[in-house]
Amino acid sequence: MSAELPFEKPLDELRKKIDHLRQVGIDQQIDFSEELTKLEEKYKQLEEEIYSRLSAAQIMHLARLHQRPTSLDYIHLIFTDFIELHGDRTFADDMAIVGGLAKLNGVPVTVIGHQRGKDTKDNIQRFFGSPHPEGFRKALRLMQQANKFGRPIVTLIDTKGAYPGDSAEARNQSEAIARNLREMATFGVPVICVVIGEGGSGGALALGVGNRVLMLENAIYSVISPNGAASILWKDASKADEAAEAMKITARDLKAFGIIEEIIPEPKGGAHRDPAASAEAVKDALWRHLEELSKMTPEQLVEDRYRKFRTIGEFDELNDADIQAVAGAASSE
């Protein structure tokens, strides 16, 4: 294993010791099986200690790893008969959004996702997974087609946010996002959204209005990136780790708030350690929710989606008696 993040360094060093001792045993024909067993047990214990108590900042760094599976990786591992469709029929084909027709366990669906690049050249072509307005319009075109023909919609969310440049603003970035939010709320087919990496700002929400919103265990989802929040709050983007801790952006936090319906487990160490196993977990979750949603009528699906988002952020106001009781308790302390 090659450690990618600072908190994984102890694991990396221990793995190197294990590999070195094993190689010495082979080269010199010495039996180190007892020592190797002890080291492997120590490795598993350390691995459990590290990954069972990750901080929000550590999860953020895991979510942003460039080795993490992308939307296209999941599409090819989960779905069959995928046919990618291109263009918004208005301006261009934004490669930061991918989508098309596919089958999930034989059921025709439309699948759409943000797509990061695999290397520098690919990232430049895909704007590092940050869509322009034509990307959101391409996604909307595919979703409208799915709604017309009664196909369920699956979206895979993985973006730091919509492209922030002048070109995007000139082509009405905010309008494109807002239109997606409005239209997704009205579709009479099941809509399931999965946050597979970083879900940031309106760029994520433009694919996020679903009957069910699921998150991978080490994904994050927030109204603004921690870097952006740190720039606003402290005038210092380097305080992103501190912002991540305060913003409640992890799957665990969002499940507690009722914003997402399910946390999809990842292989130990993150989805990039075993993409096939991670994809299988996503596929299982998608299929369970799709079976449930497929029993609803179009009208019930719209109402279900409306009810989900209307309840986010609800709170109860204290009446006068409650306020006096709280004040009395505070004064007595």
Side-chain angles (χ1 to χ4, degrees), residues 66-103:
H66 72 272
Q67 296 98 326
R68 200 170 170 85
T70 65
S71 290
L72 281 176
D73 292 329
Y74 281 112
I75 288 172
H76 293 305
L77 287 167
I78 294 172
F79 303 92
T80 58
D81 302 314
F82 175 62
I83 301 174
E84 186 174 357
L85 302 177
H86 297 273
D88 67 340
R89 299 297 187 267
T90 302
F91 183 78
D93 181 31
D94 187 347
M95 294 179 67
I97 294 282
V98 296
L101 313 178
K103 290 182 179 178

Side-chain angles (χ1 to χ4, degrees), residues 1 3-12 46-47 49-63 65 218 269-270 272-273:
M1 182 187 80
E4 298 294 336
L5 300 169
F7 66 86
E8 295 177 305
K9 188 175 180 180
L11 278 174
D12 188 48
L46 181 60
E47 186 180 50
E49 289 175 1
I50 289 175
Y51 292 118
S52 63
R53 51 183 177 84
L54 292 175
S55 67
Q58 290 170 335
I59 290 173
M60 174 185 72
H61 292 299
L62 269 177
L65 273 179
N218 294 314
H272 59 293
R273 303 293 183 197

Side-chain angles (χ1 to χ4, degrees), residues 19-46:
D19 293 341
H20 176 70
L21 186 60
R22 182 176 288 114
Q23 189 59 49
V24 170
I26 294 172
D27 294 341
Q28 300 184 12
Q29 296 185 344
I30 301 174
D31 183 10
F32 288 125
S33 57
E34 186 175 345
E35 291 82 354
L36 286 168
T37 298
K38 290 180 180 179
L39 287 173
E40 289 286 1
E41 289 176 356
K42 183 179 179 181
Y43 181 89
K44 290 179 181 178
Q45 182 181 358
L46 181 60

